[in-house]
Amino acid sequence: MTRAPERAFRAALAALVLAAAGVAAQQAAVAPGDSTAAVSLPEAEVYRREVFRYPAAGRPDPFLPLLSGDDMGVRAQDLRLLGIVYSANPRQSVAVFALPDSTQRVRLRVGQRLGAITVVGIHPRRVDVREEEMGVSRVYSMEVPRAGRPAPPPTSAPVPAAPAQAAPPPPAPAARRP
């Protein structure tokens, strides 16, 4: 059984032998005493390819991001959740964030925005925020750090269909006295 590379080699060798035989036949056809007759070989075909050049003078690099970190504003990964003032009424709940590289604190309620970040839900131990960047919307959950533990990074959460309204807690059962 012959392999494909061996077949290709044999085919190329046969073409070379036939070309050499054709040149020998042309030389034999020339008169033996005529030294001025030249053997004419077919001209080699030249393939030209198109070359592209990017004149970078005065133009931005097309492979760099369009926006740098400062232009994008505050991101969910940069914010630090410091605390939550939770109320059964979602309109009264407040989440307190620390901005990156700053001592400034920001208080946000459900529906309020900070740059491209919108608070979509405030719960007793976590806050859900939606980050919209370049047409892509992501929801992150941020938990309040517990005493003695470092704050966990924000995690991506499933996107809720609509902002949920917190239901009032069920009434406490009446205490019985013996």
Side-chain angles (χ1 to χ4, degrees), residues 8 28 62 87 123 128 152 154 161 175:
S87 172
H123 306 281
D128 297 330

Side-chain angles (χ1 to χ4, degrees), residues 87-148:
S87 172
N89 183 355
R91 293 183 180 184
Q92 292 179 349
S93 296
V94 177
V96 181
F97 295 97
L99 293 177
D101 301 331
S102 173
T103 59
Q104 184 179 1
R105 307 293 186 244
V106 178
R107 294 176 294 183
L108 298 174
R109 297 175 189 254
V110 174
Q112 287 185 325
R113 294 180 60 100
L114 176 65
I117 298 172
T118 305
V119 177
V120 293
I122 299 177
H123 306 281
R125 299 289 310 161
R126 71 175 160 78
V127 175
D128 297 330
V129 295
R130 176 178 286 130
E131 180 181 63
E132 296 177 16
E133 176 182 37
M134 301 272 191
V136 177
S137 179
R138 293 185 186 100
V139 175
Y140 294 95
S141 290
M142 303 172 81
E143 293 185 8
V144 176
R146 296 185 181 185

